[in-house]
PDB file of all heavy atoms in Angstrom:
ATOM      1  N   ALA A  39     -73.891 -88.872 -28.325  1.00 86.00           N
ATOM      2  CA  ALA A  39     -74.109 -87.936 -29.426  1.00 86.00           C
ATOM      3  C   ALA A  39     -73.055 -88.087 -30.515  1.00 86.00           C
ATOM      4  O   ALA A  39     -73.201 -87.535 -31.594  1.00 86.00           O
ATOM      5  CB  ALA A  39     -74.105 -86.500 -28.913  1.00 86.00           C
ATOM      6  N   GLU A  40     -71.975 -88.834 -30.236  1.00 90.00           N
ATOM      7  CA  GLU A  40     -70.956 -89.014 -31.269  1.00 90.00           C
ATOM      8  C   GLU A  40     -70.175 -90.298 -31.074  1.00 90.00           C
ATOM      9  O   GLU A  40     -70.049 -90.813 -29.971  1.00 90.00           O
ATOM     10  CB  GLU A  40     -70.010 -87.824 -31.349  1.00 90.00           C
ATOM     11  CG  GLU A  40     -69.073 -87.655 -30.194  1.00 90.00           C
ATOM     12  CD  GLU A  40     -68.143 -86.459 -30.400  1.00 90.00           C
ATOM     13  OE1 GLU A  40     -68.616 -85.374 -30.743  1.00 90.00           O
ATOM     14  OE2 GLU A  40     -66.943 -86.650 -30.194  1.00 90.00           O
ATOM     15  N   ILE A  41     -69.675 -90.791 -32.196  1.00 92.00           N
ATOM     16  CA  ILE A  41     -68.841 -91.992 -32.269  1.00 92.00           C
ATOM     17  C   ILE A  41     -67.581 -91.590 -33.036  1.00 92.00           C
ATOM     18  O   ILE A  41     -67.677 -90.884 -34.037  1.00 92.00           O
ATOM     19  CB  ILE A  41     -69.550 -93.109 -33.064  1.00 92.00           C
ATOM     20  CG1 ILE A  41     -70.881 -93.504 -32.446  1.00 92.00           C
ATOM     21  CG2 ILE A  41     -68.652 -94.308 -33.282  1.00 92.00           C
ATOM     22  CD1 ILE A  41     -70.789 -94.234 -31.143  1.00 92.00           C
ATOM     23  N   THR A  42     -66.409 -92.046 -32.590  1.00 95.00           N
ATOM     24  CA  THR A  42     -65.174 -91.732 -33.312  1.00 95.00           C
ATOM     25  C   THR A  42     -64.382 -92.997 -33.599  1.00 95.00           C
ATOM     26  O   THR A  42     -64.114 -93.790 -32.692  1.00 95.00           O
ATOM     27  CB  THR A  42     -64.290 -90.747 -32.516  1.00 95.00           C
ATOM     28  OG1 THR A  42     -65.021 -89.544 -32.289  1.00 95.00           O
ATOM     29  CG2 THR A  42     -63.011 -90.425 -33.279  1.00 95.00           C
ATOM     30  N   PHE A  43     -64.035 -93.174 -34.863  1.00 97.00           N
ATOM     31  CA  PHE A  43     -63.092 -94.212 -35.274  1.00 97.00           C
ATOM     32  C   PHE A  43     -61.754 -93.505 -35.441  1.00 97.00           C
ATOM     33  O   PHE A  43     -61.632 -92.599 -36.268  1.00 97.00           O
ATOM     34  CB  PHE A  43     -63.514 -94.837 -36.606  1.00 97.00           C
ATOM     35  CG  PHE A  43     -64.784 -95.641 -36.528  1.00 97.00           C
ATOM     36  CD1 PHE A  43     -65.994 -95.079 -36.882  1.00 97.00           C
ATOM     37  CD2 PHE A  43     -64.760 -96.964 -36.102  1.00 97.00           C
ATOM     38  CE1 PHE A  43     -67.163 -95.817 -36.825  1.00 97.00           C
ATOM     39  CE2 PHE A  43     -65.927 -97.714 -36.034  1.00 97.00           C
ATOM     40  CZ  PHE A  43     -67.138 -97.138 -36.394  1.00 97.00           C
ATOM     41  N   SER A  44     -60.754 -93.895 -34.664  1.00 96.00           N
ATOM     42  CA  SER A  44     -59.451 -93.223 -34.747  1.00 96.00           C
ATOM     43  C   SER A  44     -58.367 -94.233 -35.118  1.00 96.00           C
ATOM     44  O   SER A  44     -58.593 -95.438 -35.093  1.00 96.00           O
ATOM     45  CB  SER A  44     -59.118 -92.535 -33.426  1.00 96.00           C
ATOM     46  OG  SER A  44     -59.127 -93.473 -32.369  1.00 96.00           O
ATOM     47  N   ALA A  45     -57.201 -93.716 -35.463  1.00 96.00           N
ATOM     48  CA  ALA A  45     -56.052 -94.545 -35.852  1.00 96.00           C
ATOM     49  C   ALA A  45     -56.432 -95.547 -36.937  1.00 96.00           C
ATOM     50  O   ALA A  45     -56.101 -96.730 -36.873  1.00 96.00           O
ATOM     51  CB  ALA A  45     -55.446 -95.240 -34.636  1.00 96.00           C
ATOM     52  N   ILE A  46     -57.136 -95.064 -37.954  1.00 98.00           N
ATOM     53  CA  ILE A  46     -57.560 -95.926 -39.053  1.00 98.00           C
ATOM     54  C   ILE A  46     -56.327 -96.375 -39.836  1.00 98.00           C
ATOM     55  O   ILE A  46     -55.540 -95.539 -40.294  1.00 98.00           O
ATOM     56  CB  ILE A  46     -58.554 -95.190 -39.979  1.00 98.00           C
ATOM     57  CG1 ILE A  46     -59.829 -94.829 -39.194  1.00 98.00           C
ATOM     58  CG2 ILE A  46     -58.870 -96.025 -41.212  1.00 98.00           C
ATOM     59  CD1 ILE A  46     -60.777 -93.925 -39.942  1.00 98.00           C
ATOM     60  N   PRO A  47     -56.121 -97.691 -39.992  1.00 97.00           N
ATOM     61  CA  PRO A  47     -54.957 -98.181 -40.736  1.00 97.00           C
ATOM     62  C   PRO A  47     -54.973 -97.674 -42.181  1.00 97.00           C
ATOM     63  O   PRO A  47     -56.034 -97.538 -42.780  1.00 97.00           O
ATOM     64  CB  PRO A  47     -55.126 -99.707 -40.710  1.00 97.00           C
ATOM     65  CG  PRO A  47     -56.146 -99.997 -39.671  1.00 97.00           C
ATOM     66  CD  PRO A  47     -56.979 -98.768 -39.513  1.00 97.00           C
ATOM     67  N   GLN A  48     -53.816 -97.435 -42.715  1.00 97.00           N
ATOM     68  CA  GLN A  48     -53.699 -96.895 -44.069  1.00 97.00           C
ATOM     69  C   GLN A  48     -53.344 -97.994 -45.072  1.00 97.00           C
ATOM     70  O   GLN A  48     -52.593 -97.769 -46.018  1.00 97.00           O
ATOM     71  CB  GLN A  48     -52.638 -95.786 -44.078  1.00 97.00           C
ATOM     72  CG  GLN A  48     -52.951 -94.639 -43.127  1.00 97.00           C
ATOM     73  CD  GLN A  48     -54.191 -93.869 -43.557  1.00 97.00           C
ATOM     74  OE1 GLN A  48     -54.185 -93.207 -44.589  1.00 97.00           O
ATOM     75  NE2 GLN A  48     -55.257 -93.955 -42.777  1.00 97.00           N
ATOM     76  N   ILE A  49     -53.907 -99.171 -44.905  1.00 96.00           N
ATOM     77  CA  ILE A  49     -53.525-100.319 -45.730  1.00 96.00           C
ATOM     78  C   ILE A  49     -54.614-100.782 -46.700  1.00 96.00           C
ATOM     79  O   ILE A  49     -54.400-101.722 -47.458  1.00 96.00           O
ATOM     80  CB  ILE A  49     -53.108-101.509 -44.844  1.00 96.00           C
ATOM     81  CG1 ILE A  49     -54.249-101.931 -43.914  1.00 96.00           C
ATOM     82  CG2 ILE A  49     -51.854-101.157 -44.054  1.00 96.00           C
ATOM     83  CD1 ILE A  49     -53.976-103.192 -43.110  1.00 96.00           C
ATOM     84  N   TYR A  50     -55.768-100.132 -46.700  1.00 96.00           N
ATOM     85  CA  TYR A  50     -56.876-100.552 -47.553  1.00 96.00           C
ATOM     86  C   TYR A  50     -57.043 -99.579 -48.713  1.00 96.00           C
ATOM     87  O   TYR A  50     -56.566 -98.448 -48.668  1.00 96.00           O
ATOM     88  CB  TYR A  50     -58.175-100.622 -46.751  1.00 96.00           C
ATOM     89  CG  TYR A  50     -58.058-101.536 -45.550  1.00 96.00           C
ATOM     90  CD1 TYR A  50     -57.898-101.008 -44.270  1.00 96.00           C
ATOM     91  CD2 TYR A  50     -58.100-102.906 -45.702  1.00 96.00           C
ATOM     92  CE1 TYR A  50     -57.771-101.835 -43.172  1.00 96.00           C
ATOM     93  CE2 TYR A  50     -57.971-103.749 -44.600  1.00 96.00           C
ATOM     94  CZ  TYR A  50     -57.811-103.208 -43.344  1.00 96.00           C
ATOM     95  OH  TYR A  50     -57.680-104.035 -42.258  1.00 96.00           O
ATOM     96  N   ALA A  51     -57.753 -99.995 -49.744  1.00 94.00           N
ATOM     97  CA  ALA A  51     -58.037 -99.109 -50.879  1.00 94.00           C
ATOM     98  C   ALA A  51     -59.147 -98.131 -50.523  1.00 94.00           C
ATOM     99  O   ALA A  51     -59.070 -96.940 -50.820  1.00 94.00           O
ATOM    100  CB  ALA A  51     -58.426 -99.924 -52.106  1.00 94.00           C
ATOM    101  N   ASP A  52     -60.190 -98.631 -49.861  1.00 96.00           N
ATOM    102  CA  ASP A  52     -61.379 -97.843 -49.549  1.00 96.00           C
ATOM    103  C   ASP A  52     -61.858 -98.179 -48.144  1.00 96.00           C
ATOM    104  O   ASP A  52     -61.421 -99.171 -47.549  1.00 96.00           O
ATOM    105  CB  ASP A  52     -62.511 -98.158 -50.540  1.00 96.00           C
ATOM    106  CG  ASP A  52     -62.102 -98.007 -51.997  1.00 96.00           C
ATOM    107  OD1 ASP A  52     -61.389 -97.042 -52.316  1.00 96.00           O
ATOM    108  OD2 ASP A  52     -62.497 -98.854 -52.815  1.00 96.00           O
ATOM    109  N   LEU A  53     -62.783 -97.373 -47.649  1.00 96.00           N
ATOM    110  CA  LEU A  53     -63.442 -97.637 -46.369  1.00 96.00           C
ATOM    111  C   LEU A  53     -64.940 -97.734 -46.602  1.00 96.00           C
ATOM    112  O   LEU A  53     -65.482 -97.064 -47.482  1.00 96.00           O
ATOM    113  CB  LEU A  53     -63.191 -96.501 -45.373  1.00 96.00           C
ATOM    114  CG  LEU A  53     -61.769 -96.256 -44.908  1.00 96.00           C
ATOM    115  CD1 LEU A  53     -61.718 -95.003 -44.030  1.00 96.00           C
ATOM    116  CD2 LEU A  53     -61.235 -97.469 -44.158  1.00 96.00           C
ATOM    117  N   GLU A  54     -65.601 -98.541 -45.784  1.00 96.00           N
ATOM    118  CA  GLU A  54     -67.066 -98.548 -45.777  1.00 96.00           C
ATOM    119  C   GLU A  54     -67.535 -98.587 -44.333  1.00 96.00           C
ATOM    120  O   GLU A  54     -67.108 -99.426 -43.545  1.00 96.00           O
ATOM    121  CB  GLU A  54     -67.652 -99.727 -46.546  1.00 96.00           C
ATOM    122  CG  GLU A  54     -69.166 -99.637 -46.591  1.00 96.00           C
ATOM    123  CD  GLU A  54     -69.824-100.544 -47.614  1.00 96.00           C
ATOM    124  OE1 GLU A  54     -69.110-101.225 -48.365  1.00 96.00           O
ATOM    125  OE2 GLU A  54     -71.055-100.543 -47.654  1.00 96.00           O
TER     126      GLU A  54
END
Side-chain angles (χ1 to χ4, degrees):
E40 70 178 49
I41 301 290
T42 301
F43 292 97
S44 57
I46 297 171
Q48 301 294 293
I49 59 174
Y50 304 103
D52 306 319
L53 296 175
E54 184 165 357

